[in-house]
Amino acid sequence: MANDIKGVPPSSLTGINDVTGSRRVAAEKQSAGSTPESGPERSGETVELTDGAKLLQRVESELASAASVDTQRVSELKDAIANGNYQVDDQAIAEKLLRSDGERK
């Protein structure tokens, strides 16, 4: 989706073209001498995120804190394969493949 902004010079829109733009603009202002204490309340500037952007921030933070790999489960599977104890349930795999294919259609 594109917004047509008339009468606003492009140089004033730097860093505002994506969700992370507000972070980049804030970082640029902070490095230019602005401090967090002199933030939006004192400067008169405010930024309001859309519901989608707020959801994205929440999901990003939850994913960042989540473990990406269950190392205990991986270790158990490696041991079972190495010992020859790992059993493949071909019937369950076939059923899940068929169900997955049916959901895609």
Side-chain angles (χ1 to χ4, degrees):
M1 177 172 74
N3 292 325
D4 185 20
I5 301 174
K6 296 183 175 77
V8 178
S11 61
S12 66
L13 299 176
T14 303
I16 306 178
N17 60 352
D18 61 3
V19 172
T20 59
S22 60
R23 294 181 192 144
R24 186 169 50 252
V25 170
E28 290 170 1
K29 286 182 180 182
Q30 191 168 14
S31 66
S34 174
T35 62
E37 294 80 28
S38 66
E41 294 81 15
R42 292 193 181 165
S43 67
E45 297 178 19
T46 60
V47 175
E48 188 167 328
L49 299 176
T50 63
D51 290 339
K54 290 175 186 175
L55 175 63
L56 181 60
Q57 281 184 329
R58 190 170 67 243
V59 169
E60 284 177 335
S61 66
E62 289 175 12
L63 287 175
S65 65
S68 60
V69 175
D70 184 353
T71 54
Q72 182 178 352
R73 177 71 175 142
V74 170
S75 178
E76 290 171 0
L77 288 171
K78 281 183 177 182
D79 290 343
I81 292 169
N83 296 331
N85 298 332
Y86 183 73
Q87 299 293 318
V88 177
D89 186 352
D90 54 351
Q91 185 67 33
I93 292 173
E95 288 173 9
K96 289 180 182 180
L97 283 171
L98 289 173
R99 186 174 37 223
S100 170
D101 187 46
E103 291 173 357
R104 288 187 348 189
K105 293 180 181 178

